[in-house]
Amino acid sequence: MISIIIFTALIVLNLAVSLPSSGQLAALLYEHLPHAEPLIFLVWRIVCVTSIIVLLWELVRTKKRWTSHSENTTTQSDRFWVLITHPMSTCILYICFICLVFYMLSPLKLDQLIYHGDFPYQYYVSMRNAANLKAGVLFGWEHNFLGGYPSFLDFSKDLSFLMLPLMLVFDGPVAFHLLVYLALFCLPWAFLIWVTAYNQNRRCAWLFTSIFLIFLQMNLRSYLNGMVTALYGQLFFFICTATFKLASTQKKKSWLLVTLLGAVLAMHIHTSFFLFTMLFMAGDFLISLSYDPLKKRRFLLFPIIGLAITPYLIMHWQLHNLAITSSKIAEEGVMFSLKQFSMMLVQPYFWSEWGTHGLLLLFLIPLTFSRDYSQALKFWLGMAWFFFMMLPFKTTEIIGFAISRSDYVTGTLACVLIGYFIKQSRFVKLWLVALVTLLFMFLAYLPFPQRITQRPISSFQPLIELIQDSGPGRVLAENAARWNASSTDQRSEQATLPHYLGYLQLLTGREFLSNPGADAYHYSRFRFNTITSGTFYGKPITQFTDTDMYNHCQKWNVATIVTWSQCATHFFIEHPRHFEKKGEYQNLTVFRVQDRDQTRDLQVLGSGNATLTRYGPLFLDITLNRVTGDSKIVLDQNFCPYWRLASKQMQLDPIEMNGQLAFKAPMPGTYSIRMNYPNQVALFLSFFLGACLAVLILVF
């Protein structure tokens, strides 16, 4: 009873803190008492840790009374068990979940753009890659952002394969809305198939699914933060691991073909979920090795999947010099990860990924010391401990990005363990403790979640007009990053604006010297081309002169600058000689770069001139006029060694000039040349078809 009282008090306290008056009081304390913020944080942390310790003590103290099918089970608890494991209870929760999704993301505004979180970024990448797929291009060169980069680096944001069929019937915004709905509405049923495959008790499977629906509803604000690729990554994780298990239990070899297709899609959508899928399948294979009738075929599926994803590994290796594996390793490092891991396990807000891990640990410990061990529970506990032990390595350089979405796996494992905890206890008291624990971890859900902002395309028109009035050329729009390169005490204020740049590029057709998302391209060396959270080249922008910034704009053909932070806005206002303020749009300020050459002429080191006449994802067409044999042409594109120059059967390698792509004129005179970027579609398709053929031979 003590733990229930404590957690109830915590819920009331958090609800009180969420009121506007409480926020004003906290701001007043922080202003007049310099050490109030760390002191309040410390007290709150102590309260959280103490509460969780009390709860664990309560659970361990009563574990002797746990039983699955005790003869002393009362009629009341039997009825309670039948109620919570009935399919109708799950269906009611599913209907509530659908209503909540429609409340937060209105179906009456399907033709509007979702102006929230990562939605604009993923919408842009999916639209771009869908257009490339129609042209027979899988990965090419992204011209529209950052001065150009390989589009393969957007591998965790691409839904083009799933969006393309919808785009044959619907417009882009409608197709993207439907894609989000499809993922959310299919997830619970995929989860049901998943837990049913690994637990033959149907009532337990319905209970686990009900808990997962509660998990989705309480965590919906995080799920609808634009992580659509994570939704589909989790969906394919369920499908792959379930079909891999069903191939063994039901002796249906054809399920292995579904496993292969799902694994390839998971790899394409998000590397993390492919890795989680392979690890989970490997754990299942090793545990069931002694009684698996299809163990040889299931074992051979692993090298076949490896064959199918070989092109992705090749691309990763080729581009490893252009992108690091983790977005945090350069700034925080491994020790930061270990410290954060140990502290955030008691995070009271469930939307935090670390809070999800804390919830898993909360039920993992009591169940580990439980005396009632079924074979299924042993499997779930083993997988839960394995994934939990991976968490401290989220920011290591070797596998950092590959396990960046581990909260989507630990959260679902926590749902299963909570179900086993309820199944074992059968005591109303312990059920109430578990319920209060869930409420405690779901505090971020309260009060009722806000609706996701959806804007008509016309709402961007004032900003578009300001950009067009600045003349032709690139747009240098300030990014926002949680980890910028400045020291902690020099970092600018955090932006609250969504990742709007993807929409803005599609609406204006301009090139941007920015990342398509709000966060700077933190795993790319090209991030220093941008202004990020008031910093430039890793230092506060105030440490640079207006001449430095003007030269940077000339180098990259920048005509317009858009800022949101106070320090960046004040910097350009204070230097009207080079930067003219054009106007404001909400919290954005637009500037025009003055006295710039508005032609598309490229820089020529030597005699003559050059013009970029046409470009696409796989080519650059350049016209050279009266150049000499020793002239060097510098493009306003980032250097990448995979470009090749073809002119009258002459093959010339590109050269790097201050980070930009350049080449030496193959011969003197006036003529046109084309630079080609390799199309990898044949490589990917050949390996995939080879893997499909191998699975068909394996199955039939």
Side-chain angles (χ1 to χ4, degrees), residues 291-308:
Y291 57 87
D292 186 0
L294 297 178
K295 57 184 177 182
K296 291 184 178 180
R297 287 182 170 85
R298 292 212 304 166
F299 172 78
L300 290 175
L301 184 64
F302 287 97
I304 292 175
I305 293 176
L307 174 67

Side-chain angles (χ1 to χ4, degrees), residues 36 63 110 112 243 478 505 540 548 590 621-622 668:
K63 69 182 178 66
L110 291 180
Q112 297 188 9
T243 53
E478 182 181 10
Q505 196 285 322
D548 295 331
V590 180
D621 284 341
I622 304 166

Side-chain angles (χ1 to χ4, degrees), residues 364-642:
L364 186 56
I365 293 177
L367 285 173
T368 301
F369 291 99
S370 170
R371 296 179 180 179
D372 181 22
Y373 261 18
S374 63
Q375 188 67 27
L377 179 56
K378 287 181 180 179
F379 170 77
W380 290 112
L381 287 174
M383 298 308 298
W385 276 116
F386 175 78
F387 280 97
F388 185 81
M389 297 304 293
M390 290 177 60
L391 303 179
F393 305 100
K394 288 188 66 172
T395 60
T396 54
E397 190 171 3
I398 300 176
I399 59 173
F401 182 79
I403 59 175
S404 62
R405 297 297 176 200
S406 55
D407 47 308
Y408 285 84
V409 177
T410 55
T412 54
L413 290 173
C415 293
V416 175
L417 295 187
I418 292 171
Y420 272 107
F421 171 77
I422 296 174
K423 176 177 178 289
Q424 285 194 350
S425 65
R426 290 287 191 89
F427 289 97
V428 177
K429 178 181 177 181
L430 293 182
W431 165 245
L432 290 175
V433 173
L435 178 62
V436 174
T437 304
L438 288 174
L439 291 175
F440 171 68
M441 301 302 291
F442 293 151
L443 291 178
Y445 173 75
L446 303 170
F448 201 73
Q450 298 178 351
R451 293 186 177 184
I452 303 301
T453 303
Q454 296 168 261
R455 290 188 177 183
I457 296 176
S458 59
S459 65
F460 293 93
Q461 192 59 35
L463 181 58
I464 294 173
E465 292 177 356
L466 289 173
I467 292 175
Q468 290 175 342
D469 289 343
S470 299
R474 274 199 177 96
V475 180
L476 175 56
E478 182 181 10
N479 283 126
R482 290 172 290 174
W483 310 286
N484 60 41
S486 298
S487 59
T488 305
D489 58 341
Q490 295 176 327
R491 294 185 181 184
S492 176
E493 72 268 23
Q494 175 64 51
T496 57
L497 72 164
H499 302 192
Y500 66 101
L501 294 176
Y503 290 155
L504 205 56
Q505 196 285 322
L506 292 173
L507 296 175
T508 61
R510 296 291 183 87
E511 295 179 9
F512 281 73
L513 196 62
S514 313
N515 185 52
D519 291 344
Y521 216 73
H522 35 255
Y523 48 87
S524 167
R525 68 172 187 164
F526 306 141
R527 63 179 177 173
F528 291 122
N529 294 343
T530 70
I531 301 173
T532 304
S533 298
T535 63
F536 182 58
Y537 277 91
K539 300 177 181 178
I541 194 172
T542 52
Q543 295 186 12
F544 295 86
T545 65
D546 59 334
T547 303
D548 295 331
M549 185 58 64
Y550 180 75
N551 291 337
H552 183 73
C553 293
Q554 290 290 88
K555 175 182 178 181
W556 292 101
N557 191 33
V558 172
T560 311
I561 299 173
V562 182
T563 62
W564 61 263
S565 69
Q566 294 181 8
C567 55
T569 303
H570 291 163
F571 174 84
F572 291 106
I573 290 177
E574 292 171 356
H575 299 96
R577 182 167 64 98
H578 291 309
F579 310 105
E580 175 192 358
K581 182 178 177 181
K582 296 293 294 182
E584 297 179 355
Y585 171 80
Q586 298 180 357
N587 59 340
L588 303 174
T589 306
V590 180
F591 299 88
R592 181 177 71 90
V593 180
Q594 302 201 66
D595 302 326
R596 56 175 293 274
D597 184 7
Q598 297 188 8
T599 66
R600 189 62 175 173
D601 289 349
L602 305 177
Q603 181 184 2
V604 178
L605 302 180
S607 61
N609 55 69
T611 305
L612 179 63
T613 56
R614 199 164 65 97
Y615 60 85
L618 298 176
F619 68 89
L620 296 168
D621 284 341
I622 304 166
T623 299
L624 305 180
N625 185 25
R626 293 180 295 180
V627 297
T628 59
D630 58 350
S631 296
K632 292 182 180 178
I633 294 85
V634 183
L635 288 78
D636 54 356
Q637 298 285 324
N638 285 304
F639 172 77
C640 183
Y642 306 115

Side-chain angles (χ1 to χ4, degrees), residues 120-405:
Y121 184 12
Q122 299 191 4
Y123 176 79
Y124 168 79
V125 172
S126 300
M127 289 287 289
R128 178 202 67 196
N129 287 359
N132 288 344
L133 286 174
K134 292 179 181 179
V137 178
L138 185 59
F139 298 112
W141 185 255
E142 168 56 77
H143 296 271
N144 295 324
F145 286 97
L146 278 175
Y149 62 90
S151 64
F152 180 80
L153 294 180
D154 290 321
F155 52 83
S156 66
K157 304 294 181 184
D158 184 17
L159 295 165
S160 56
F161 278 105
L162 304 174
M163 193 169 174
L164 188 58
L166 294 174
M167 290 178 62
L168 299 177
V169 182
F170 305 102
D171 292 335
V174 178
F176 192 70
H177 273 78
L178 295 177
L179 202 65
V180 177
Y181 286 145
L182 184 64
L184 289 171
F185 296 158
C186 290
L187 265 179
W189 304 115
F191 178 87
L192 176 62
I193 296 172
W194 181 59
V195 293
T196 303
Y198 288 91
N199 191 322
Q200 300 301 319
N201 189 324
R202 292 296 179 89
R203 285 196 171 275
C204 287
W206 286 107
L207 173 63
F208 299 160
T209 307
S210 297
I211 297 172
F212 181 67
L213 279 165
I214 298 174
F215 172 91
L216 285 177
Q217 293 183 54
M218 301 305 173
N219 202 24
L220 192 56
R221 187 171 71 179
S222 177
Y223 270 77
L224 284 179
N225 198 32
M227 302 299 182
V228 190
T229 52
L231 292 177
Y232 277 98
Q234 191 175 43
L235 184 66
F236 288 121
F237 168 80
F238 291 150
I239 293 173
C240 289
T241 52
T243 53
F244 186 72
K245 181 67 175 179
L246 290 173
S248 173
T249 56
Q250 297 186 3
K251 299 180 181 180
K252 291 185 178 180
K253 298 175 287 185
S254 58
W255 285 117
L256 297 179
L257 181 59
V258 180
T259 306
L260 171 66
L261 297 176
V264 174
L265 283 173
M267 181 68 181
H268 184 83
I269 289 174
H270 205 298
T271 310
S272 292
F273 291 96
F274 172 79
L275 177 63
F276 298 149
T277 300
M278 292 298 102
L279 291 174
F280 202 93
M281 287 167 51
D284 168 44
F285 176 78
L286 293 175
I287 291 175
S288 61
L289 193 60
S290 59
Y291 57 87
D292 186 0
L294 297 178
K295 57 184 177 182
K296 291 184 178 180
R297 287 182 170 85
R298 292 212 304 166
F299 172 78
L300 290 175
L301 184 64
F302 287 97
I304 292 175
I305 293 176
L307 174 67
I309 67 160
T310 296
Y312 291 93
L313 301 179
I314 294 174
M315 292 289 289
H316 273 288
W317 175 252
Q318 289 179 341
L319 297 174
H320 76 280
N321 289 326
L322 300 180
I324 60 177
T325 55
S326 173
S327 61
K328 299 181 184 179
I329 185 67
E331 286 81 11
E332 280 86 352
V334 178
M335 293 308 298
F336 173 84
S337 177
L338 294 174
K339 179 182 177 181
Q340 189 181 35
F341 172 72
S342 60
M343 292 297 293
M344 290 297 186
L345 286 178
V346 292
Q347 171 74 1
Y349 298 111
F350 188 61
W351 58 265
S352 164
E353 58 186 80
W354 300 99
T356 307
H357 308 330
L359 177 66
L360 174 64
L361 183 64
L362 200 62
F363 291 92
L364 186 56
I365 293 177
L367 285 173
T368 301
F369 291 99
S370 170
R371 296 179 180 179
D372 181 22
Y373 261 18
S374 63
Q375 188 67 27
L377 179 56
K378 287 181 180 179
F379 170 77
W380 290 112
L381 287 174
M383 298 308 298
W385 276 116
F386 175 78
F387 280 97
F388 185 81
M389 297 304 293
M390 290 177 60
L391 303 179
F393 305 100
K394 288 188 66 172
T395 60
T396 54
E397 190 171 3
I398 300 176
I399 59 173
F401 182 79
I403 59 175
S404 62
R405 297 297 176 200

